[in-house]
Structure formats: C-alpha cells, structure tokens
Amino acid sequence: MFIITSKKYEFECPYTNSEFKKKFDNEIKDYTYRQLRKDFHLTDLYYGKRNDNTIEIHFHRFGKRDLDNPMFVGSIGKGDNENSTKVSGKFKRKTSNLIVSLFIIIFWLFITIIGFTQNLTAGIILTVITCLAVYIFFWDNNTPQQIKEYFARYDTSSANQNENSDA
C-alpha cells in the first residue's frame, strides 16, 4: 500500500472515553528519535502521544529508521452507545517528508528528461531509477496494517475481559 495522500480510518471499541484514554496512556509513550535509535532499535514498538482528545500513533519496526513512515492522527469521540469509544482519523505522512520527497522526485524527473536528450540509454536508466525512487519514497512498509492491529487489541482484550467476568 502506498500513502501519498491521507487515508481515512475509523475504529470503535467497547471502552468508555476515560477507560480508552487511560489504557492508551499506559501503552503508548512518547519517545524521541534518539531514544528510538539507541534504546529501542532492536524491538517492534508503538509510540505516540495524546493531547486531550487527539492521538498520534507511530509504529517502529525492528532495526529500521521510521521517520518517514506513515502515522495515524485521529480524535477520540463517543461511539454509537454510551459505553463505547470511536476513534476516527487518517493515516498520513509528515508534511515535511512529503514535500521533500516530491521535490526530489521532480528533480529526478528533470534529470531524466535531460538524460533522454543526451542519450536514449541514459534516459531509460534514469527512468528506471526514478520509478524505483517513487516506489521507495511512498511505500508504507505495512505500517497502517500494524497500527490497525494495535487498535484490534482494544476490541479483543475487552471481549476477553467480558468472557472472564461471565465465568
């Protein structure tokens, strides 16, 4: 999946808003880039922050640099009934990363056009490199799927708690 523009996502869980916020604050911590590279480089990790009713979630993959991966930015709201919470937001990239990526792609396209005017083989090679660069810049590394799996934890853990309380 490629993330160039924002993609909407909604999730509803059977927690109240205060329970969801408490669980989110316990599980998701805000780390600096230095902490991720130094202390958590060899672990898979969800990190982010919450400000009142807005949340931001990132996924750090084992041994990778994640500064350009997509993130989830959303808001916490009331669900369909009073004992549920609805999280709605978007998977997107940081605007600064998107601008830099587009600038590099435009520069590469310019070089490719110049390559075609000089030599057909050089133009074809630069076209292949440009296509590869677009693929690398906008490939999301399954980060949205990983974040969706994190949200699925809220639904399954609540169902497990309800089954245990019935027994």
Side-chain angles (χ1 to χ4, degrees):
M1 183 168 146
F2 292 92
I3 301 274
I4 298 174
T5 60
S6 300
K7 303 216 185 287
K8 291 183 181 180
Y9 180 69
E10 288 186 351
F11 174 77
E12 188 164 344
C13 65
Y15 289 104
T16 63
N17 280 359
S18 60
E19 290 172 342
F20 178 83
K21 290 175 185 178
K22 184 177 179 183
K23 185 171 173 102
F24 183 85
D25 290 341
N26 288 337
E27 291 181 357
I28 301 293
K29 304 294 183 210
D30 192 14
Y31 297 110
T32 63
Y33 177 68
R34 183 176 179 185
Q35 288 173 314
L36 287 172
R37 293 295 298 154
K38 186 177 178 185
D39 300 333
F40 302 106
H41 181 66
L42 300 177
T43 59
D44 287 345
L45 175 72
Y46 295 99
Y47 66 99
K49 59 185 173 184
R50 180 181 69 84
N51 291 330
D52 197 29
N53 286 333
T54 60
I55 60 173
E56 184 177 306
I57 300 175
H58 302 263
F59 178 70
H60 171 71
R61 191 171 309 281
F62 172 86
K64 302 287 183 186
R65 296 181 186 172
D66 301 320
L67 292 179
D68 60 342
N69 277 350
M71 61 183 166
F72 178 80
V73 178
S75 61
I76 303 168
K78 296 226 180 242
D80 292 337
N81 61 31
E82 63 187 43
N83 290 330
S84 67
T85 298
K86 187 174 196 175
V87 177
S88 58
K90 296 179 179 182
F91 288 103
K92 64 179 193 172
R93 294 186 183 275
K94 290 182 180 177
T95 306
S96 61
N97 291 347
L98 190 61
I99 290 170
V100 168
S101 298
L102 290 174
F103 176 74
I104 291 171
I105 289 170
I106 290 170
F107 179 72
W108 240 324
L109 288 173
F110 181 70
I111 299 258
T112 303
I113 292 169
I114 291 173
F116 269 118
T117 61
Q118 300 300 316
N119 183 343
L120 183 63
T121 306
I124 291 171
I125 290 171
L126 288 173
T127 301
V128 169
I129 292 173
T130 302
C131 292
L132 182 64
V134 168
Y135 178 79
I136 290 171
F137 285 149
F138 296 112
W139 180 48
D140 67 4
N141 203 16
N142 288 332
T143 301
Q145 185 62 32
Q146 294 292 334
I147 294 174
K148 288 177 185 179
E149 287 176 13
Y150 169 75
F151 282 132
R153 291 181 186 178
Y154 284 97
D155 195 27
T156 58
S157 64
S158 174
N160 291 339
Q161 289 175 354
N162 291 337
E163 288 175 9
N164 292 338
S165 64
D166 292 339

